[in-house]
Amino acid sequence: KQWYQRRVAITAGDTTFHLLHRFYICLYSEFSIFLRRGFVAWRLDVKMNKQLLVVIALVGIAGAYQCTKRETGQYKYVTSAEGWDHCDSNGLACCYYINGTVIIFSHGYNNGSYNPNTHCEYVIDLDPECDIVVCASMDFSMNGNDMVSIQTMDMNIKWTGNKKPFNSRVHGHKASIRFTSGPDAPPEGSKWSMGIVCVPKTEYKSVCEVCDEIAEQQGNGPDGDNILQPIN
């Protein structure tokens, strides 16, 4: 009755016809308002459902992120005598400790490419009587703004994208090699390896000679999913 009294003001001289006509208009107005409100609510509901679906889709994508695959399937955290790997929806982080002559292979080397969102460090600490020689593989391949660097107390060399690191002798027995990759999945064939060789300070060997000696083993790739491969 309240809305009817608000909408219909009965005045003297109103005929039955006028009253019915105005009552019809009021009913039509109220019904239209009801429909419009219902339509707006429906549109808001649809919009919210679409947003919810987008959120669900994004969560699904995050959940489907593929970290490094090993023979035992996906993993979250793996430790070994040489270091550790940690893998989650934010990417792959790793840290390895190297105290001998080895070849470092990128994660997923035998699968065709490394992971996006990788942040790895390889801490090298060889015999104090050694100089480090670093040998980059012939198939060294990185994507976009992905980066690898070699850092010592005296130097910091960085390569990005499709720039291949050059083989070099580091004057010292300690160094840190870092590798990072961006959020974009690298194309097939994005993989790399670096030989870390101890050359006695008292022995002269050219960088070419040292790297030629390990080139065949380096070219053969790792055994399974090994990240560090001792040099024969």
Side-chain angles (χ1 to χ4, degrees):
K1 290 184 179 180
Q2 290 179 351
W3 66 263
Y4 176 76
Q5 291 171 357
R6 188 170 60 249
R7 295 288 180 176
V8 181
I10 302 176
T11 62
D14 275 324
T15 64
T16 302
F17 174 80
H18 288 115
L19 285 173
L20 290 175
H21 180 66
R22 294 174 68 181
F23 179 71
Y24 169 79
I25 292 174
C26 290
L27 285 178
Y28 178 80
S29 299
E30 290 294 326
F31 185 67
S32 297
I33 292 170
F34 171 79
L35 286 179
R36 286 199 298 271
R37 288 176 178 172
F39 180 71
V40 170
W42 176 80
R43 291 193 63 182
L44 288 173
D45 185 59
V46 169
K47 185 177 181 180
M48 291 177 68
N49 285 338
K50 286 183 177 179
Q51 291 173 341
L52 180 61
L53 287 174
V54 169
V55 170
I56 292 172
L58 291 175
V59 171
I61 291 171
Y65 178 89
Q66 296 297 315
C67 294
T68 300
K69 292 181 179 179
R70 296 188 182 273
E71 293 179 359
T72 55
Q74 287 182 260
Y75 69 98
K76 290 294 182 183
Y77 193 80
V78 172
T79 60
S80 67
E82 298 84 17
W84 53 265
D85 293 344
H86 181 70
C87 189
D88 57 28
S89 59
N90 293 320
L92 171 68
C94 77
C95 187
Y96 285 90
Y97 311 98
I98 298 169
N99 59 9
T101 296
V102 299
I103 300 173
I104 304 170
F105 290 97
S106 58
H107 287 76
Y109 187 94
N110 287 329
N111 293 333
S113 67
Y114 53 76
N115 293 297
N117 294 321
T118 296
H119 305 276
C120 284
E121 183 173 9
Y122 307 88
V123 180
I124 304 166
D125 188 359
L126 304 184
D127 189 293
E129 300 302 317
C130 290
D131 277 341
I132 300 169
V133 172
V134 180
C135 304
S137 59
M138 293 298 294
D139 62 351
F140 199 104
S141 177
M142 292 191 298
N143 178 46
N145 293 319
D146 299 350
M147 180 275 293
V148 65
S149 69
I150 301 174
Q151 184 175 4
T152 69
M153 292 291 291
D154 303 317
M155 55 168 266
N156 185 10
I157 308 173
K158 180 166 62 176
W159 296 269
T160 59
N162 57 8
K163 295 179 180 178
K164 175 186 173 183
F166 51 80
N167 299 335
S168 57
R169 183 169 185 152
V170 177
H171 294 288
H173 68 284
K174 292 186 177 183
S176 176
I177 293 178
R178 292 185 175 92
F179 172 71
T180 61
S181 63
D184 297 329
E188 188 75 14
S190 298
K191 56 185 181 178
W192 55 267
S193 68
M194 301 182 78
I196 308 299
V197 183
C198 165
V199 177
K201 295 180 185 290
T202 57
E203 180 182 346
Y204 175 78
K205 273 188 175 182
S206 69
V207 172
C208 290
E209 184 181 0
V210 173
C211 294
D212 283 346
E213 288 177 355
I214 70 169
E216 183 177 354
Q217 183 180 353
Q218 195 169 5
N220 290 335
D223 293 334
D225 291 315
N226 290 342
I227 304 303
L228 303 182
Q229 190 87 28
I231 295 176
N232 299 330

